[in-house]
Amino acid sequence: MAGGIIRAVVAPHVPRIGIEAKVPPFLKGVVSGLHSMGKEIRAAKPDLMVILSAHFVSTFNWQVTMQAEHKGMCVADEAPDLIPGAPYQRRGDPEFAEALAKEIQIVGVPVVRNDTPHYTWDYGTYVPLHYLDPDQKIPVVVLPSVLAASLEECFSVGVAIRNAAQTSGRRTVVVASCAFSHKLARGPGLWPAEHSQRRDRAFIALLVEGRITEAKDGFAEYAEAVTTEMGGRPLATMLGCLDDKSGERFAGLQHGSYGPSSGSGNACIAIRPASLPNTAA
């Protein structure tokens, strides 16, 4: 099958789920969703996952990880008590990464090659992959959240990801590693405010129902209303990779339950082109 985006997903990464044996009860439904969504993704047999991490932060430039192998220990810098050092070892995809860097250049925004052998993963990269692909078999390329990027720029980089997947022949899964609402407060089990929960659930419904154009059109207002994580940049980039202008239809599925973490709202959502088979268990 030709390359392209075969899944676009939203995956939580809260550090309290970094070690499954220590997951608190209020996040069990989120973790079950990650396991279930991982089965759907693996059954679709992707060539690659592109991770859009809210915790890989770049001030000005889009960075594309070029490493042929990702290997190291992930420490949650803001919560080393929760993830003190988790090992990982996965293949990268330098050929796709080069294609993606060229496509981002075409968009006209600054991009640099992250090819240092000393680069280590943030927990926004590590945590979802720990559940989505526990055997560490699917190659990975990681992109940051760029503070200087507008939401429109993020949409355009999503288009670049889609173009790179098509030109490189890679069946690609794009993972927005982030929460939905993200107005944080002290207290691990705290829920978002009621109005934020309502807005989260309404936005999630758009994704599940495949109403991508509506999700894009209303995204800036939604992101401001609920204080989305990292200003909504990972979510906007994920939305940008979905080609809703070509007549393609989409189908979505929520895996597991919507759950809280320190005032944030978290859920596992998988979106596929409706023309592709449903591989959800």
Side-chain angles (χ1 to χ4, degrees):
M1 185 178 292
I5 305 301
I6 64 169
R7 293 292 186 282
V9 311
V10 185
H13 60 237
V14 298
R16 289 186 186 280
I17 67 174
I19 299 174
E20 187 167 8
K22 298 183 178 181
V23 173
F26 58 84
L27 284 168
K28 294 284 189 181
V30 170
V31 168
S32 69
L34 281 166
H35 280 301
S36 174
M37 191 163 69
K39 290 178 182 177
E40 176 183 347
I41 288 170
R42 297 191 303 275
K45 301 188 184 305
D47 300 313
L48 171 73
M49 285 199 282
V50 175
I51 311 299
L52 311 168
S53 175
H55 286 272
F56 174 18
V57 181
S58 180
T59 305
F60 301 115
N61 299 317
W62 289 88
Q63 300 180 37
V64 184
T65 60
M66 299 281 173
Q67 294 85 357
E69 181 183 51
H70 301 287
K71 184 178 181 180
M73 296 288 288
C74 174
V75 177
D77 55 353
E78 63 185 288
D81 54 319
L82 300 177
I83 307 178
Y88 61 88
Q89 183 172 2
R90 293 177 184 270
R91 285 178 293 150
D93 190 335
E95 181 182 345
F96 172 85
E98 291 286 2
L100 177 54
K102 290 177 183 176
E103 291 291 345
I104 295 175
Q105 280 184 313
I106 291 170
V107 168
V109 297
V111 59
V112 297
R113 301 168 81 260
N114 179 339
D115 57 6
T116 170
H118 306 294
Y119 173 71
T120 55
W121 282 359
D122 64 282
Y123 73 84
T125 299
Y126 169 80
V127 171
L129 286 172
H130 175 64
Y131 291 99
L132 299 179
D133 181 31
D135 293 332
Q136 304 190 99
K137 292 184 176 179
I138 304 170
V140 172
V141 170
V142 189
L143 289 179
S145 296
V146 180
L147 298 181
S150 66
L151 294 180
E152 286 299 323
E153 180 174 308
C154 293
F155 287 146
S156 68
V157 171
V159 174
I161 297 170
R162 181 173 76 237
N163 291 342
Q166 292 169 347
T167 59
S168 66
R170 300 296 197 274
R171 290 166 48 81
T172 302
V173 174
V174 177
V175 180
S177 173
C178 59
F180 287 92
S181 57
H182 197 253
K183 191 169 184 179
L184 298 183
R186 283 177 170 160
L190 288 179
W191 286 86
E194 287 291 339
H195 74 87
S196 293
Q197 291 185 53
R198 289 194 299 270
R199 293 298 299 268
D200 277 356
R201 294 181 192 279
F203 182 72
I204 288 168
L206 293 179
L207 301 183
V208 169
E209 294 164 13
R211 295 155 61 189
I212 303 305
T213 299
E214 289 179 62
K216 288 180 180 178
D217 289 346
F219 184 71
E221 193 272 332
Y222 159 72
E224 183 176 2
V226 304
T227 312
T228 44
E229 187 165 15
M230 196 49 66
R233 291 173 177 87
L235 284 170
T237 308
M238 181 275 290
L239 286 171
C241 81
L242 296 171
D243 187 6
D244 57 313
K245 302 300 184 184
S246 67
E248 177 72 81
R249 293 181 150 191
F250 298 93
L253 180 66
Q254 179 173 344
H255 292 266
S257 59
Y258 174 90
S261 180
S262 301
S264 68
N266 301 272
C268 302
I269 311 298
I271 306 162
R272 62 179 171 84
S275 58
L276 295 182
N278 180 6
T279 59

